[in-house]
Amino acid sequence: QVQLVESGGGLVQPGETRLLSCAASGFQFDTYGVGWFRQSPGKAREAISGITVSGRSKYYADSVKGRFIVDRDNRDSVAYLQLNSVNVEDTAVYYCAAGPQRDNWPSFSSWGDEAQYTYWGRGTQVTVGS
């Protein structure tokens, strides 16, 4: 059974750090690119980060660039998203997704394309507030 399970969400103080994890099972994780998305109430889902199988290429939306860090551990089939210097605009449900890596995907221009992702987690809520 294919699963992507996000964890690590919760209430975070402004300016603090939170590490989100995405545990994968039921498919060959080390052949899939991984993306992170988020959705705030009343807004469309937003692609915020992506990472290739090797981890050498990492992509970020402008809204999180310089603050969030994506990584993965293929041995343990886990992807990570570290949220640094969070602010209230980062309040959202955070989702991880995985799509089979090909020669031309993920790339700088296409990593955020939701249609490329085959498997999705159910999300973890991050709320930034005091």
Side-chain angles (χ1 to χ4, degrees):
Q1 180 182 1
V2 171
Q3 280 193 310
L4 286 173
V5 180
E6 302 93 340
S7 62
L11 179 63
V12 192
Q13 301 282 341
E16 292 193 342
T17 294
R18 181 62 64 113
L19 180 65
L20 304 184
S21 300
C22 171
S25 61
F27 64 99
Q28 194 169 349
F29 181 75
D30 62 0
T31 64
Y32 280 67
V34 172
W36 285 91
F37 298 77
R38 68 184 181 185
Q39 188 166 23
S40 304
K43 295 185 178 180
R45 188 157 58 188
E46 173 191 17
I48 56 172
S49 187
I51 184 169
T52 55
V53 165
S54 68
R56 286 194 290 268
S57 294
K58 302 178 181 181
Y59 309 103
Y60 299 96
D62 288 343
S63 58
V64 305
K65 193 176 298 181
R67 298 189 300 122
F68 290 8
I69 301 172
V70 65
D71 208 349
R72 65 189 294 162
D73 183 339
N74 289 336
R75 290 174 300 178
D76 290 338
S77 297
V78 181
Y80 301 97
L81 185 68
Q82 181 171 311
L83 286 56
N84 298 314
S85 302
V86 298
N87 55 61
V88 294
E89 286 75 32
D90 295 321
T91 295
V93 177
Y94 284 73
Y95 301 89
C96 67
Q101 182 161 314
R102 303 180 299 278
D103 288 344
N104 60 346
W105 188 88
S107 68
F108 178 78
S109 61
S110 66
W111 66 269
D113 180 2
E114 292 192 15
Q116 302 296 332
Y117 292 89
T118 305
Y119 305 125
W120 290 80
R122 293 188 176 184
T124 185
Q125 174 72 48
V126 174
T127 302
V128 181
S130 54

